[in-house]
Amino acid sequence: MQLAAIIVSLTLTVVGVALLARAIGQFVRYFKLGQPVPAGARTDNPYQRSVTLVREFLGHTRMNRWGIVGFAHWFVAVGFLTLPPTLAQAFGQLFQADWTLPVIGGFLPFELYIEFIGVMTILGIAVLMVIRLLSLPSRAGRKSRFAGSKAGQAYFVEYVILTIGLAIYVLRGLEGAIHHVEGYEAAYFASYPLVLAFKGLSVTTLQTLIYFTAMVKISTSFIWMIVVSLNTNMGVAWHRFLGFPNIWFKRNADGATALGALQPMTTGGKPVDFEDPGEDDVYGVSQVEQFSWKGLLDFSTCTECGRCQSQCPAWNTGKPLSPKLLIMSLRDHAHAKAPYLLAGGGKDMEGNEKATAEQLKDVPAAALAEAERPLIGTAEENGVIDPDVLWSCTTCGACVEQCPVDIEHIDHIVDMRRYQVMIESAFPSEAGTMLKNLEKKGNPWGLAKKQRVEWTKEVDFEVPIVGKDIEDLSEVDYLYWVGCAGALEDRAKKTTKAFAELLHIAGVKFAIMGGDEKCTGDSPRRLGNEPLFQQLGQENVAMLNMAFGESLNEDGGVDESTKKPKSAKKIVSTCPHCFNTIANEYPQLGGEYEVIHHTQLLQHLIDEGRLIPVTPVDGLITYHDPCYLGRHNKVYTPPREIMSAVPGLRQQEMHRHKERGFCCGAGGARMWMEERIGKRINTERVDEALSLDPDIVSTACPFCLVMLTDSVNGKKNDGKAKESLQVVDVAQLLLDSVKTPADPEPEAPAEEPEPEPAA
């Protein structure tokens, strides 16, 4: 038994280590196929990145959002990293059954730790296995977050962990027996029942059992290593290694998710200069090797847990997009194509092969066939990603928010969209109207710029316009960026007028840009038209810098609450998309401003006592979190604080809210595209709201307001929603409460009848 155990264990060890070394080399060469990233973009502030990595792993800050799953996974992950000493002990036990590790062997704290982590690893993996079994796609269909995951690989990994954990536990019991543990000892607090069970066996039998169990532990460990080394696209196994660099190299060193700003389009690791493009510049991604090395690392790190899929509004409404399946498809395609690319293969802009026949002669036929597949194409075209998958994305950020290993789904989707729009001109036709209107008129509806100020005629106070009523913004506290919807869309204009009136009541000096405002470029950028975003953005930045005038070189003093400098360039916006673009993306174009959302300013004015809600607004209200206000910019509290300040309102959250809020369906330029597949996203969201039987559905975004109102009106027409149900912006609610109802005019006293003349 001992000889067999030694031969089997050492043979598997040698093979496993050799294959693992080869696999690591393959990964290094594979990641080098990706494009470089801008200098310092992934390596700035290494200390903070290391702190982020330690915090995310040891704290399981992203995993623990799912309660018991995160708790169980923590022990499995920590056990995997800290139980290798038990593997070393097993090697020693092959040669001497009662062998213990030098120095730490028999050290009570170490023994206690091994007992505790060993048992918790067994319990943790058992919990995860039960959860997977309860969520079988065969039972739950699309509702299962594991739908589409490679179940066989997952079960293999889980049973390996369970087997190793049980082997450690059995070995602990055998060790106690062979070391003649006569009574209960703290060092064997978990395995003591096994110590008692093995106590009556002979020394020879104990030795044989130790040889056998040590072999099982070692063999299982290295069979796992062999299998995963031969399958480098086995994300459910490799994530435990690749997750660490993927987190360390994430976009933001401080640990913030890759939301908010989109990254500039790059080629060769440098931003594309659209005014003077290079001959070899690549626009977007049309081949998998055109993703950055970080993109390729993202794909390989996916653990197929399906958290992104479970939260995706497209997947939840019957559309073909699953962020998980998209990443898995890109991963499998990239790994299958890698031998061709590593041999020097590749296509130029005209589609001609770069490599010679001699270079490609040893490339497997499967890799050559994979290289012929279009990255974006229908099933008939054998495409890797179907166009319907690409255009279903609302860029809501739910996938990025939920991913435990920090995969940056939205950046990859937009990169593929960029190529489709800019090179292939292949995008939903109705979005073309929006692009043409932006190019010609600077707004998605194609309306004349003078119509941007029509709403100012509908309020009974003066709204100053920069360049007309005031010279520059040095005379006011805030520039109110009204936005296209806020100025031109009838429902959104109600929010605009309400917010402007609230500022007037609070005595806040503000001004607007009027007809000089243009679309910030949010929709064209997320559609993939980067040049149009650059054009609109640069024009707006130049206009803003001129409007701020001397204040560009001033500061706004010190904020007493934070002790930080205040900017003199203050912009407030009622549109989260404008807010996000100006705050997070205009710095890429040289526009640095302090930008806040109108709910943040209104909450501040309430706190200061400059706005006092007094009139009750009765009813049950539920709030819809706009994706670009919530997930993308982490503004959750101000809208809720405003509603709490309004007397009479009773708040109730929808099931999906805050970080797990459900999209209205308008983001990612979907506002301008028809939904032809599955259930409409706004209908799904309104159905969730109606399940609470509210009197008011509130939000804080003009796009959300339009989408929710459209669906509610449809429900009213079908008799599925009560006629009294309102969809309003929180600013409208606040105004209704701040404005004291006018006192009714006193009735004139009744005239006394004239006395009748005496008879």
Side-chain angles (χ1 to χ4, degrees):
M1 184 67 249
Q2 183 181 23
L3 181 61
I6 291 172
I7 292 172
V8 170
S9 298
L10 294 185
T11 300
L12 290 173
T13 299
V14 170
V15 174
V17 170
L19 289 176
L20 180 65
R22 188 186 73 162
I24 293 172
Q26 288 175 333
F27 271 117
V28 171
R29 293 191 298 275
Y30 164 71
F31 294 139
K32 285 183 177 180
L33 293 171
Q35 300 302 304
V37 298
R42 300 286 177 174
T43 55
D44 59 305
N45 201 341
Y47 171 77
Q48 184 59 53
R49 289 182 175 277
S50 301
V51 170
T52 295
L53 174 59
V54 172
R55 182 179 66 245
E56 284 200 20
F57 175 70
L58 289 183
H60 255 45
T61 52
R62 302 179 71 76
M63 285 293 299
N64 285 334
R65 295 175 180 179
W66 285 51
I68 187 64
V69 177
F71 183 75
H73 187 275
W74 188 91
F75 285 103
V76 174
V78 170
F80 176 81
L81 284 181
T82 61
L83 288 176
T86 64
L87 185 62
Q89 174 126 335
F91 275 109
Q93 289 168 331
L94 291 175
F95 298 92
Q96 182 180 328
D98 60 353
W99 186 82
T100 58
L101 289 168
V103 183
I104 59 175
F107 182 51
L108 183 59
F110 172 73
E111 301 280 305
L112 292 172
Y113 179 79
I114 293 299
E115 287 276 311
F116 177 69
I117 291 296
V119 170
M120 293 307 294
T121 298
I122 295 171
L123 295 176
I125 197 64
V127 167
L128 296 180
M129 291 171 72
V130 169
I131 290 172
R132 186 180 294 274
L133 289 168
L134 292 175
S135 304
L136 282 173
S138 60
R139 186 180 302 130
R142 285 175 71 100
K143 291 183 179 180
S144 170
R145 62 187 176 95
F146 298 114
S149 298
K150 297 180 179 178
Q153 293 182 356
Y155 288 130
F156 169 73
V157 170
E158 288 170 344
Y159 280 114
V160 162
I161 295 171
L162 181 62
T163 302
I164 292 173
L166 291 172
I168 293 172
Y169 189 57
V170 171
L171 277 172
R172 290 292 298 166
L174 290 167
E175 289 165 14
I178 204 166
H179 288 130
H180 308 294
V181 173
E182 297 299 330
Y184 174 80
E185 290 185 11
Y188 296 94
F189 75 88
S191 58
Y192 187 65
L194 284 180
V195 174
L196 292 177
F198 295 136
K199 191 175 180 181
L201 300 177
S202 66
V203 172
T204 302
T205 303
L206 288 172
Q207 289 174 335
T208 301
L209 288 173
I210 287 174
Y211 299 146
F212 176 77
T213 310
M215 179 187 69
V216 169
K217 174 172 169 43
I218 294 168
S219 299
T220 305
S221 299
F222 286 95
I223 288 172
W224 178 85
M225 186 179 291
I226 291 168
V227 171
V228 303
S229 297
L230 293 174
N231 295 274
T232 51
N233 65 341
M234 193 172 175
V236 71
W238 279 103
H239 82 277
R240 62 187 56 205
F241 302 111
L242 300 178
F244 294 106
N246 208 51
I247 293 171
W248 200 90
F249 288 117
K250 68 189 298 184
R251 185 200 290 183
N252 300 307
D254 63 0
T257 50
L259 295 173
L262 281 178
Q263 297 302 284
M265 194 165 74
T266 61
T267 181
K270 297 179 180 178
V272 174
D273 184 350
F274 291 100
E275 295 181 358
D276 185 22
E279 292 183 5
D280 298 326
D281 282 358
V282 176
Y283 298 109
V285 169
S286 63
Q287 302 290 328
V288 74
E289 63 270 24
Q290 291 170 350
F291 286 107
S292 71
W293 61 261
K294 176 57 170 65
L296 298 181
L297 176 58
D298 267 1
F299 307 154
S300 293
T301 306
C302 178
T303 184
E304 304 178 22
C305 67
R307 292 184 179 209
C308 57
Q309 179 174 286
S310 72
Q311 303 297 304
C312 177
W315 182 259
N316 275 278
T317 53
K319 296 169 182 60
L321 169 63
S322 156
K324 177 190 72 178
L325 297 179
L326 178 137
I327 295 296
M328 288 171 59
S329 297
L330 292 172
R331 176 197 65 199
D332 292 346
H333 171 62
H335 280 269
K337 188 178 179 181
Y340 162 80
L341 296 171
L342 290 169
K347 303 289 178 67
D348 59 20
M349 295 295 289
E350 287 74 36
N352 300 314
E353 179 57 62
K354 296 178 183 178
T356 64
E358 179 65 22
Q359 288 176 288
L360 300 179
K361 66 182 179 64
D362 294 326
V363 176
L368 292 173
E370 196 70 28
E372 295 302 317
R373 296 181 66 192
L375 187 67
I376 308 298
T378 62
E380 292 75 17
E381 297 167 331
N382 195 28
V384 179
I385 305 298
D386 192 281
D388 285 335
V389 169
L390 198 63
W391 297 112
S392 293
C393 180
T394 66
T395 68
C396 70
C399 50
V400 180
E401 180 70 37
Q402 288 298 326
C403 182
V405 289
D406 290 296
I407 293 171
E408 299 166 7
H409 312 71
I410 291 177
D411 288 350
H412 307 318
I413 289 172
V414 171
D415 274 339
M416 290 186 282
R417 283 183 170 187
R418 285 167 170 167
Y419 178 83
Q420 293 298 299
V421 171
M422 296 170 60
I423 304 301
E424 298 290 339
S425 295
F427 52 89
S429 58
E430 57 268 24
T433 303
M434 177 266 293
L435 295 176
K436 290 176 183 176
N437 288 337
L438 289 176
E439 291 170 358
K440 294 178 180 179
K441 299 292 187 178
N443 67 78
W445 290 278
L447 299 175
K449 68 177 187 178
K450 66 180 181 180
Q451 291 188 245
R452 282 187 176 270
V453 296
E454 287 298 305
W455 68 270
T456 62
K457 300 174 183 177
E458 300 171 23
V459 294
D460 56 5
F461 53 89
E462 182 183 353
V463 178
I465 300 174
V466 178
K468 179 182 177 183
D469 302 305
I470 60 172
E471 187 66 28
D472 60 35
L473 292 164
S474 61
E475 303 176 37
V476 298
D477 301 317
Y478 289 94
L479 166 66
Y480 174 22
W481 186 274
V482 181
C484 300
L488 303 170
E489 208 283 328
D490 288 340
R491 286 162 287 189
K493 281 161 67 174
K494 295 178 182 178
T495 303
T496 302
K497 291 182 285 186
F499 178 61
E501 187 168 352
L502 286 166
L503 294 182
H504 177 69
I505 292 170
V508 176
K509 295 180 180 179
F510 72 98
I512 64 173
M513 295 305 304
D516 289 338
E517 251 192 31
K518 289 189 175 182
C519 173
T520 57
D522 163 84
S523 288
R525 188 173 216 196
R526 279 147 186 81
L527 183 75
N529 195 328
E530 185 71 8
L532 182 54
F533 162 75
Q534 296 276 338
Q535 175 191 329
L536 293 167
Q538 288 168 1
E539 290 173 358
N540 281 331
V541 167
M543 173 195 67
L544 287 170
N545 288 346
M546 183 176 295
F548 278 112
E550 292 300 319
S551 65
L552 283 173
N553 302 315
E554 299 173 3
D555 62 48
V558 176
D559 187 327
E560 291 301 322
S561 62
T562 63
K563 303 301 180 184
K564 294 181 178 180
K566 294 190 294 185
S567 171
K569 301 170 290 182
K570 295 181 180 179
I571 300 175
V572 61
S573 173
T574 43
C575 176
H577 296 265
C578 297
F579 164 52
N580 177 70
T581 303
I582 300 172
N584 299 324
E585 297 184 340
Y586 278 11
Q588 299 170 7
L589 307 176
E592 298 275 356
Y593 316 104
E594 179 186 335
V595 190
I596 63 172
H597 189 250
H598 75 290
T599 57
Q600 294 173 300
L601 180 54
L602 292 177
Q603 182 197 11
H604 179 67
L605 294 173
I606 292 172
D607 292 343
E608 284 190 335
R610 296 169 69 180
L611 290 175
I612 303 174
V614 290
T615 304
V617 179
D618 294 323
L620 177 66
I621 188 169
T622 189
Y623 174 70
H624 164 78
D625 284 285
C627 300
Y628 273 81
L629 182 63
R631 270 191 297 269
H632 281 274
N633 286 282
K634 306 297 182 270
V635 179
Y636 297 111
T637 302
R640 290 172 169 83
E641 291 290 325
I642 292 169
M643 291 185 291
S644 296
V646 175
L649 284 178
R650 293 172 285 118
Q651 294 185 50
Q652 186 168 349
E653 297 282 10
M654 284 184 266
H655 174 66
R656 294 176 287 203
H657 63 280
K658 293 188 176 180
E659 289 85 355
R660 295 198 193 185
F662 198 77
C663 183
C664 74
R670 290 294 323 176
M671 177 79 172
W672 319 105
M673 295 182 253
E674 287 297 326
E675 280 190 64
R676 297 187 174 89
I677 304 173
K679 184 179 182 180
R680 293 181 67 88
I681 293 174
N682 59 336
T683 300
E684 172 73 11
R685 186 54 163 167
V686 165
D687 283 343
E688 185 173 359
L690 292 179
S691 68
L692 303 176
D693 193 26
D695 300 297
I696 304 169
V697 177
S698 66
T699 188
C701 169
F703 284 11
C704 296
L705 192 69
V706 169
M707 298 297 284
L708 297 177
T709 302
D710 283 348
S711 184
V712 165
N713 288 341
K715 297 285 184 183
K716 287 180 179 180
N717 293 335
D718 295 338
K720 297 178 181 178
K722 54 191 179 186
E723 284 297 323
S724 59
L725 179 62
Q726 303 177 62
V727 181
V728 296
D729 188 281
V730 291
Q732 295 170 260
L733 284 172
L734 182 60
L735 180 62
D736 288 344
S737 185
V738 167
K739 290 174 70 174
T740 305
D743 293 329
E745 293 184 10
E747 295 182 9
E751 294 183 5
E752 294 183 9
E754 293 182 7
E756 294 182 7

